[in-house]
């Protein structure tokens, strides 16, 4: 029931925002990474489902379709695309969304015939899914570069959501922020900000998150819970100190070092460097917090 409702709401959102199945897809080179990513994931899903159906692996095929529809399409693509729809600069995204839903409903029709029939005919205006062509995977749609970028955006969004939750900030509350990131990620700062309820602009930062090479600064004046922030940082500090101690014990163990592969030794040394830097960074953040 929940899955059917999710699909129904996704279709309604698409139709309310003008998603279309008319005309050819835009040239891939003109699409943003978010649109290229969902097309890549769709093509991979179709290929994998085809193979599993041929092998009579129906349960695994269903699981793939389920996670593509719920996770990739509904939880990530639609959310990351909302800024485009809100700004009105969404002609390409309308066509991509229409194409993805059209192909997904064809793929799911043997498993969920009734609801996919209803949604597909409403979306396309065509006669019936029963006589529609089976979806075809497009190898030229596979875009590993776009997939890698979206994984990075997902990690950033997940970490910022965790940060907001740790601070006790309501999901509906907008907070001023700014992204400091490489150009390929900075290009999608607006999309991430829309999902995260952030107001981008010049700010006087009072807190920040760091995820790899990306730094997100926040102005939490009047909204930050100092006690919660201190507790979060102290927990992160304890974890970093424990990880550093573990790395040092291994590196100082002559027996372990004599037997360990070079790749493992390199990994432990890198871990030691990272945890040392984390401890310095977290300690500095703690020192900047107001006294309890």
């Amino acid at each position: 029931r929940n899955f059917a409702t999710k699909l129904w709401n996704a279709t309604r959102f698409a139709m309310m925002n003008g998603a279309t199945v008319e005309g050819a897809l835009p040239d891939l080179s003109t699409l943003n990474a978010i649109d290229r990513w969902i097309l890549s994931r769709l093509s991979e899903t179709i290929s994998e489902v085809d193979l599993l159906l041929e092998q009579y692996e129906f349960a695994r095929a269903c699981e793939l379709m389920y996670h593509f529809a719920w996770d990739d399409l509904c939880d990530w693509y639609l959310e990351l695309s909302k800024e485009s729809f809100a700004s009105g600069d969404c002609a390409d995204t309308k066509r991509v969304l229409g194409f993805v839903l059209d192909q997904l409903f064809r793929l799911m029709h043997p498993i969920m015939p009734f609801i996919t029939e209803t949604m597909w005919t409403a979306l396309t205006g065509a006669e019936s899914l029963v006589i529609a062509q089976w979806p075809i995977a497009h190898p030229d749609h596979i875009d590993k570069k776009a997939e890698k970028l979206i994984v990075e955006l997902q990690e950033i969004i997940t970490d910022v959501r965790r940060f907001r939750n740790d601070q006790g900030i309501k999901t509906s509350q907008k907070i001023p922020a700014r992204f400091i990131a490489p150009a390929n990620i900075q290009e999608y700062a607006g999309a991430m900000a829309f999902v995260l309820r952030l107001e981008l602009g010049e700010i006087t930062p009072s807190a920040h998150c760091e995820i790899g090479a990306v730094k997100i600064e926040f102005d939490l004046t009047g909204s930050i819970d100092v006690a919660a922030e201190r507790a979060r940082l102290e927990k992160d500090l304890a974890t970093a100190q424990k990880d550093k101690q573990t790395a040092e014990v291994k590196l100082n163990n002559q027996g372990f070092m004599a037997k360990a592969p070079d790749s493992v030794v390199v990994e432990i040394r890198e871990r030691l460097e990272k945890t040392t830097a984390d401890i310095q960074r977290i300690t500095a953040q703690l020192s900047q917090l107001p006294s309890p």
Side-chain angles (χ1 to χ4, degrees):
R1 183 184 64 181
N2 291 343
F3 182 55
T5 300
K6 194 84 168 177
L7 291 174
W8 189 274
N9 287 338
T11 308
R12 185 174 61 177
F13 173 86
M15 295 178 68
M16 287 174 59
N17 285 278
T20 178
V21 297
E22 299 298 327
L25 277 174
D27 188 280
L28 295 178
S29 64
T30 67
L31 297 178
N32 63 43
I34 299 169
D35 288 334
R36 296 199 310 274
W37 166 74
I38 197 64
L39 289 174
S40 182
R41 288 292 302 120
L42 173 66
S43 191
E44 290 171 342
T45 301
I46 292 172
S47 294
E48 292 168 6
V49 167
D50 275 347
L51 180 61
L52 290 170
L53 291 179
E54 289 172 2
Q55 297 172 345
Y56 304 102
E57 294 278 2
F58 301 124
R60 290 177 60 194
C62 289
E63 186 177 8
L64 276 178
M65 289 184 277
Y66 175 92
H67 286 294
F68 171 79
W70 191 300
D71 302 338
D72 293 340
L73 178 60
C74 296
D75 281 359
W76 285 112
Y77 178 69
L78 292 183
E79 292 301 311
L80 287 169
S81 298
K82 283 182 177 177
E83 186 214 14
S84 295
F85 286 115
S87 67
D89 183 20
C90 57
D92 288 347
T93 300
K94 287 179 181 180
R95 182 66 190 95
V96 170
L97 177 54
F99 176 81
V100 171
L101 286 172
D102 173 16
Q103 297 298 295
L104 176 62
F105 293 153
R106 295 172 191 239
L107 193 66
M108 297 184 69
H109 185 59
I111 308 298
M112 299 178 71
F114 301 109
I115 192 169
T116 53
E117 173 79 9
T118 298
M119 293 186 296
W120 186 83
T121 52
L123 176 70
T124 66
E127 182 181 353
S128 175
L129 252 178
V130 175
I131 56 174
Q133 182 181 1
W134 184 251
I136 300 172
H138 295 272
D140 57 314
H141 288 180
I142 304 298
D143 190 331
K144 292 299 181 183
K145 185 176 180 181
E147 290 186 23
K148 183 176 182 295
L149 177 59
I150 300 306
V151 167
E152 292 182 61
L153 300 189
Q154 290 170 337
E155 290 173 350
I156 293 166
I157 290 169
T158 299
D159 272 25
V160 173
R161 282 174 170 164
R162 185 181 300 118
F163 172 83
R164 288 183 60 125
N165 184 64
D166 289 344
Q167 300 308 312
I169 300 172
K170 295 179 180 179
T171 55
S172 60
Q173 181 179 347
K174 285 193 173 183
I175 54 176
R178 67 182 173 199
F179 285 81
I180 302 172
N184 64 327
I185 293 177
Q186 190 71 39
E187 182 180 351
Y188 298 96
M192 290 188 288
F194 198 93
V195 172
L196 291 165
R197 305 285 291 172
L198 302 178
E199 293 180 332
L200 298 183
E202 289 303 313
I203 62 169
T204 302
S206 59
H208 69 269
C209 285
E210 290 186 36
I211 305 99
V214 178
K215 183 177 183 181
I216 307 99
E217 296 181 331
F218 308 94
D219 179 3
L220 301 180
T221 306
S223 61
I224 187 172
D225 184 333
V226 175
E229 175 69 354
R230 184 176 297 279
R232 183 184 72 83
L233 290 173
E234 288 175 347
K235 181 179 178 181
D236 289 348
L237 180 61
T239 300
Q241 289 171 334
K242 182 177 179 180
D243 289 348
K244 180 185 177 184
Q245 183 181 14
T246 300
E248 288 175 337
V249 168
K250 290 181 178 179
L251 291 174
N252 292 329
N253 185 326
Q254 296 301 318
F256 172 83
M257 293 294 288
K259 297 178 181 178
D262 291 343
S263 60
V264 173
V265 175
V266 170
E267 183 181 344
I268 295 173
R269 292 190 189 281
E270 291 176 349
R271 185 66 179 169
L272 180 60
E273 292 178 6
K274 181 181 184 304
T275 53
T276 300
D278 286 343
I279 289 170
Q280 294 174 346
R281 172 179 55 80
I282 296 169
T283 301
Q285 288 179 254
L286 280 167
S287 68
Q288 295 171 6
L289 286 178
S291 302

